Amino acid sequence: MRIAVTYQDGMIFQHFGHTQQFKLYDVENGAVQKEQIVDTQGSGHGALASFLKEWSVDTLLCGGIGGGAQNALASVGIQLYGGIAGNADEAVRVFLAGTLVYNPEVHCNHHEQDHSCGGHSCGDKKHDCGESEHECRC
């Protein structure tokens, strides 16, 4: 199994379509055997699904993600676990333990500058996910 996590400075990057790096985890027998960080080379949104498939990824952990990207991932057979925040390594550890809390209904629509954000803190109803600060309905 190869898991990809949207990645920035050790944390899960919160906007799939704008991620500039993924951290990849090769898993065998339920344990991480190898880790590497790969640059997306400027790929965005739909192109990222093909990028991940070329890297033989079968599972993606991420924060916010739009419907088009979700469809693109599904079309190439990548399982999505969205609406996750926090430390990337910890998220993978919890995923492998079978206790990852994620949002199967995650949806990020940054084009309207208003999006639903599963899994990250929206206590003050504002956050930064790579776009200009915008309202969050959680």
Side-chain angles (χ1 to χ4, degrees):
M1 167 188 278
R2 179 169 275 177
I3 300 169
V5 179
T6 52
Y7 189 79
Q8 183 177 39
D9 299 324
M11 305 301 281
I12 298 170
F13 186 68
Q14 291 300 304
H15 188 154
F16 173 80
H18 287 214
T19 193
Q20 295 182 17
Q21 293 182 320
F22 288 100
K23 187 165 184 181
L24 305 180
Y25 301 81
D26 292 331
V27 177
E28 291 179 26
N29 300 320
V32 175
Q33 302 297 313
K34 180 181 174 187
E35 301 174 14
Q36 64 183 315
I37 297 170
V38 296
D39 290 326
T40 64
Q41 307 297 321
S43 298
H45 293 93
L48 288 174
S50 296
F51 175 88
L52 291 172
K53 193 63 178 173
E54 288 172 15
W55 280 91
S56 302
V57 168
D58 49 36
T59 303
L60 171 68
L61 308 183
C62 70
I65 183 168
Q70 290 179 31
N71 292 337
L73 290 168
S75 75
V76 296
I78 296 174
Q79 182 67 44
L80 170 65
Y81 296 86
I84 304 166
N87 181 279
D89 294 344
E90 178 66 11
V92 170
R93 185 191 69 72
V94 173
F95 173 77
L96 293 174
T99 58
L100 179 69
V101 176
Y102 68 99
N103 180 358
E105 303 298 321
V106 68
H107 184 75
C108 186
N109 189 351
H110 68 283
H111 299 288
E112 295 174 10
Q113 295 302 303
D114 184 16
H115 74 226
S116 178
C117 316
H120 57 276
S121 177
C122 297
D124 64 359
K125 300 298 181 197
K126 296 282 185 185
H127 71 280
D128 182 11
C129 68
E131 289 290 312
S132 60
E133 198 170 80
H134 50 276
E135 196 68 24
C136 188
R137 296 182 318 250
C138 297

